[in-house]
Amino acid sequence: MPDAVVRFGDDELNLPAHVGTQGDYAIDISALRGALGIVTLDRGFANTAEGRSSVSFIDGEEGVLLYRGYPIEQLAEQARFLEVAYLLQYGELPTKSELEQYEESITRHTLLREDMKHLFEAFPHSAHPMQILASATSALATYYPDALNPLDPEAVDISCRRLVAKAPTMVAWSYKYRTHQPYVYPANDLGYSENFLRMMFAVPAEDYVVDPVVATTLNLLLVLHADHGQNCSSSAVRLVGSGHANIFSSVAAGIHALSGPLHGGANQEVLEMLEWIVAEGLDLDTVVRKAKDRNDPFRLMGFGHRVYKNFDPRARILKKAAADVLHALGVDDPLLDLAMRLEEVALSDDYFVERKLYPNVDFYSGIIYRAMGFPIDMFTVLFAMGRLPGWISQFRELLADPETRIFRPRQLYIGSPVRDFVAMDER
Ligand code: SDX
C-alpha cells in the first residue's frame, strides 16, 4: 500500500493509506498537525472521512448502495423494515426466531407515556411535524433516566428498541393532535407498517382496514430510507453522540438536521416545487433555465447529490414504484408525469450532465407519500421514521469503537489580529 507524502516548505511527512472492503482508500492525516503544524481545509467534509464504518457502502460513481453488504435493490424487493432495522444494528440478517423476538420486543414498546399527550398539546396545531418529533424524541430521555448511559450496551439496546417502537406512535399522535382528531392507540396484533397506518388514519367512528398496497409501499419507503452512510443527519447524530450525550438527544439532533430543505426536507420541497410549476404555468425549459441561473436562488429540488454522480439507486426504485403504486391505488396524479418530464428535460441539458446531477431519493418519494394519503408536511417525518435504524446503528457503531474521540474539528482563523479593549468614550 503506497503511503501519501505531504511536502510543506522544507518538511516532508509520510502518511499511511488504508483501504476499505470495496477498494476505497483513505489517507490517515492524524499525524499532520503534530509533525507539520498544519491542518486541512475541506468545506462540507466532501473529501474527509471521520472514521471507519461497516453499516452502509455507497459507490456514488456507479450508483450502488449496500446495507451491511446487501444491495438495496434486493432488500427493497424482499425485506421487511424491521428485518432491515435488525440487520443495520446487529450486522447480520436475523433468523426467523431472531426476527420474531425482535418484532415482539418492538411491539411491546409502542405505547407512549400518557402524559406525553401534554407535550403534543403544548404545540400550536400549525406546528411542523419535524419540530414535534424532535421535541418528543428528546422528551423520551426524561422518561427513561435509567437507560441513558451511551457506554452501557444494554441501556443503548433497550433505548434503540424504544425509539424504533415509539417513533410511529409519536408521528401518528402528532398528526392526530394537529388535525384535531382523537389519538389511536397501537394494536399489538398488527405489523409495523400496518400499525402506523391505523394509528394515522383510523377514526373511532368506524373500523379501519389497512390497504395492503399502502402497507407494502410504506415498507418499501422505510427500507429505502433506512441508512445512507455519513450523510448530514447521521453525522449530526455521531457528533452529538461523540460527546457521550444519550441516544435520544443524539437522534433528536439528527431529526433537526434532516429537516433542512437541502437534506430530508427536500421531499416536501419537491412537491411544493412541482405544484408551483403548475400554478405558475411554467414550461419546463424555463424551470431548468432558472435552476441553472447562478443569480437565481431556485434549485431543482430532488436533484443532485454530494455522493451520487449517477442515478441514486433509490430514485430508480421509487420512479418505478410511483407508477405502479398510483395505478394500484387508482390515483391519477399529473405531478408524476410532470416529474418524469422534468427529469427528462434536465438530464438532456449539459449543465446537469456536466455536473452529474441526477434525481435523488427525494425526487419521487413525495408523489408516492401523497398518493398514500399523507399530507405534504409529513413527508420528512416519514423519511425520519425510515432513517431511524440508520441513525441508531451509526450511534452504536461510534460508541462501541474504542478509537472514537469527541468530534472537535479545527478551523482556519481569518478574524481580527489581537487588539486591546477600547473604552466606551473612546469608540
Ligand atoms: C438527501 O448525503 C446524503 O446521503 C443525503 C441523502 C440521505 O439519504 O441521507 O441522500 C438524502 O439529502 C438527498 C439530497 C436532497 N436535497 C435536494 O434535493 C436539494 C437540491 N440539491 C442540492 O441542493 C445539492 O445537490 C445537494 C445539497 C444535494 C448537494 O450539494 P453539494 O454536494 O454541496 O453540491 P453543490 O451545491 O456544490 O453543487 C455542485 C454544482 C453547483 O453548481 P456550480 O457551482 O458548479 O456552478 O451543482 C449545482 C450547484 O449550483 N447544483 C444544482 C443542484 N444541485 C447542485 N443546480 C441546480 N439544481 C440542483 N438541485
Side-chain angles (χ1 to χ4, degrees), residues 30 45 112 122 141 180 222 310 340 344 384 395 423 425:
S30 307
F45 308 121
L112 298 179
H180 307 277
L222 293 173
N310 197 326
M340 290 180 170
E344 196 179 325
F395 178 95
D425 55 8

Side-chain angles (χ1 to χ4, degrees), residues 128-381:
H128 194 286
M130 284 295 274
Q131 301 302 326
I132 300 176
L133 181 61
S135 304
T137 302
S138 291
L140 285 179
T142 65
Y143 290 103
Y144 307 106
D146 58 336
L148 298 182
N149 180 355
L151 303 178
D152 173 352
E154 282 185 24
V156 170
D157 196 70
I158 182 60
S159 296
C160 290
R161 290 166 195 261
R162 283 171 170 148
L163 274 165
V164 172
K166 296 178 191 305
T169 313
M170 294 192 293
V171 170
W173 279 22
S174 70
Y175 172 71
K176 286 304 196 187
Y177 164 69
R178 293 187 308 118
T179 52
H180 307 277
Q181 295 182 32
Y183 300 112
V184 175
Y185 285 80
N188 287 356
D189 59 343
L190 291 178
Y192 195 81
S193 295
E194 293 78 1
N195 207 1
F196 173 61
L197 291 167
R198 181 177 165 281
M199 288 190 283
M200 274 289 300
F201 299 121
V203 290
E206 57 189 27
D207 290 340
Y208 176 78
V209 179
V210 176
D211 181 329
V213 172
V214 177
T216 304
T217 304
L218 178 60
N219 183 77
L220 169 66
L221 285 156
L222 293 173
V223 166
L224 289 176
H225 287 85
D227 190 62
H228 211 241
Q230 305 312 310
N231 58 83
C232 176
S233 52
S234 296
S235 299
V237 170
R238 280 180 170 254
L239 184 139
V240 173
S242 77
H244 288 181
N246 67 68
I247 193 165
F248 300 106
S249 303
S250 303
V251 167
I255 294 168
H256 284 302
L258 188 73
S259 68
L262 293 186
H263 191 13
N267 58 15
Q268 175 176 340
E269 297 276 333
V270 168
L271 246 293
E272 289 167 353
M273 173 185 74
L274 295 172
E275 289 184 329
W276 170 73
I277 292 170
V278 172
E280 297 293 314
L282 293 176
D283 65 82
L284 295 185
D285 291 332
T286 302
V287 173
V288 168
R289 189 165 53 247
K290 282 177 66 65
K292 290 158 52 175
D293 180 355
R294 297 177 73 97
N295 300 316
D296 188 327
F298 174 74
R299 282 286 172 271
L300 213 48
M301 301 313 279
F303 251 77
H305 199 277
R306 171 63 56 77
V307 177
Y308 288 122
K309 301 311 171 189
N310 197 326
F311 250 92
D312 180 333
R314 303 165 297 176
R316 280 190 197 283
I317 294 167
L318 287 172
K319 179 178 179 180
K320 182 180 180 309
D324 297 346
V325 169
L326 268 63
H327 176 71
L329 295 176
V331 172
D332 177 19
D333 186 344
L335 294 188
L336 175 57
D337 176 58
L338 175 62
M340 290 180 170
R341 286 188 291 115
L342 180 55
E343 173 194 326
E344 196 179 325
V345 172
L347 292 186
S348 61
D349 187 291
D350 289 346
Y351 173 95
F352 289 85
V353 174
E354 284 161 9
R355 291 168 178 78
K356 298 181 179 178
L357 303 173
Y358 289 87
N360 58 50
V361 67
D362 294 312
F363 192 63
Y364 288 105
S365 58
I367 291 168
I368 302 173
Y369 286 138
R370 187 161 79 161
M372 292 161 72
F374 293 104
I376 285 184
D377 68 2
M378 281 198 68
F379 293 176
T380 311
V381 287

Side-chain angles (χ1 to χ4, degrees), residues 3-43:
D3 279 358
V5 180
V6 173
R7 283 188 197 83
F8 187 70
D10 299 331
D11 299 322
E12 191 171 289
L13 176 67
N14 281 6
L15 293 172
H18 302 281
V19 63
T21 317
Q22 297 291 100
D24 44 329
Y25 285 92
I27 302 295
D28 185 338
I29 60 169
S30 307
L32 188 64
R33 190 168 186 279
L36 300 184
I38 59 174
V39 297
T40 55
L41 196 57
D42 183 24
R43 303 310 310 274

